[in-house]
Amino acid sequence: MPEQLNTRVEDCFQLAESFFKRPFKRPVVSLKLRGQKAGVAHLHENLLRFNPQLYRENTEHFLKQTVAHEVAHLIAHQLFGDRIQPHGEEWQLIMRGVYELPPDRCHTYEVKRRRVTRYIYKCPCADSDFPFTAQRHSLVRQGRRYLCRRCRHTLVFSGEMRVE
C-alpha cells in the first residue's frame, strides 16, 4: 500500500475530526479496484477501495481530490446515517467545508479501455454486419441461434473478426 495514500486518508480523517470535534472510525484501505472508477467507499463495511492504475497515472490530483471524495462519503455516513444521497448536500458540505475542495461527482482521468474482439455475423440483408461479443459467439457455437430483426434469417458467422 503506498504510504502517501494512507497518509492522505489519515489527514482527511484528522481534518474532519477537528472540524466536527468528534472521532471517526478509520476504514480499511485497499488498492483492489479496477475499471473506470477511481475510488469506492463501502459505507457499511467501512472500506475504501482505490484504483491503483489511476492512482499511479494521476497521483497528485488523486491524493488531493479522489481520496477526500471517498473519505467524505464515510464521514457523511458516520455523521448522518443511511438516509442521505451519495452526493447530496451533507457530502457536499464536507467537501467544501472540511476539505475546501469542489464537490466533483466524477473524475476526469483518462481511462485506458481494454481491447475487445468482435465476431462478425451476417444475414442475407444488404449491409448486415452484426458484431458479436466473445460470450455471444461462444453461445452460438453451443447451439444458440440469433435472428435478423429485418429478414428473420439466422445470423451466420462470417469468419471475420474485428479488434476494437
Side-chain angles (χ1 to χ4, degrees):
M1 177 72 58
E3 194 56 39
Q4 283 183 300
L5 189 66
N6 278 331
T7 300
R8 176 63 175 150
V9 168
E10 181 59 28
D11 289 347
C12 287
F13 271 93
Q14 287 180 11
L15 283 168
E17 288 175 340
S18 175
F19 187 89
F20 291 109
K21 308 279 189 262
R22 61 157 279 192
F24 291 99
K25 187 176 178 202
R26 299 304 194 263
V28 172
V29 179
S30 162
L31 274 171
K32 293 184 178 173
L33 183 63
R34 294 171 38 197
Q36 296 184 9
K37 292 182 180 180
V40 176
H42 297 275
L43 305 177
H44 297 286
E45 294 86 5
N46 202 30
L47 167 67
L48 294 175
R49 290 192 311 145
F50 294 106
N51 186 318
Q53 180 180 352
L54 295 180
Y55 171 66
R56 277 191 305 274
E57 294 169 358
N58 308 280
T59 304
E60 187 176 327
H61 186 269
F62 195 100
L63 287 169
K64 181 179 178 183
Q65 183 73 29
T66 301
V67 172
H69 175 119
E70 299 308 332
V71 170
H73 283 300
L74 293 181
I75 299 296
H77 182 258
Q78 289 183 39
L79 282 171
F80 304 107
D82 285 331
R83 295 179 183 251
I84 61 172
Q85 293 295 310
H87 297 106
E89 58 186 87
E90 299 87 354
W91 175 83
Q92 290 179 33
L93 161 88
I94 294 165
M95 287 298 290
R96 284 192 188 104
V98 177
Y99 303 128
E100 298 177 356
L101 292 169
D104 297 335
R105 269 192 70 238
C106 302
H107 68 77
T108 55
Y109 306 141
E110 186 175 320
V111 178
K112 293 182 182 85
R113 301 215 181 258
R114 63 187 173 105
R115 297 165 61 86
V116 293
T117 301
R118 301 290 182 198
Y119 299 84
I120 309 303
Y121 280 71
K122 295 190 180 283
C123 76
C125 295
D127 299 324
S128 68
D129 275 10
F130 297 90
F132 279 22
T133 62
Q135 182 178 8
R136 183 166 280 186
H137 178 64
S138 176
L139 289 171
V140 170
R141 292 174 57 202
Q142 294 172 22
R144 181 168 297 173
R145 291 179 14 170
Y146 292 92
L147 304 177
C148 173
R149 287 187 175 169
R150 281 184 284 178
C151 70
R152 308 299 295 160
H153 279 88
T154 300
L155 299 177
V156 178
F157 180 49
S158 67
E160 298 173 47
M161 294 181 288
R162 179 171 69 219
V163 178
E164 298 175 346

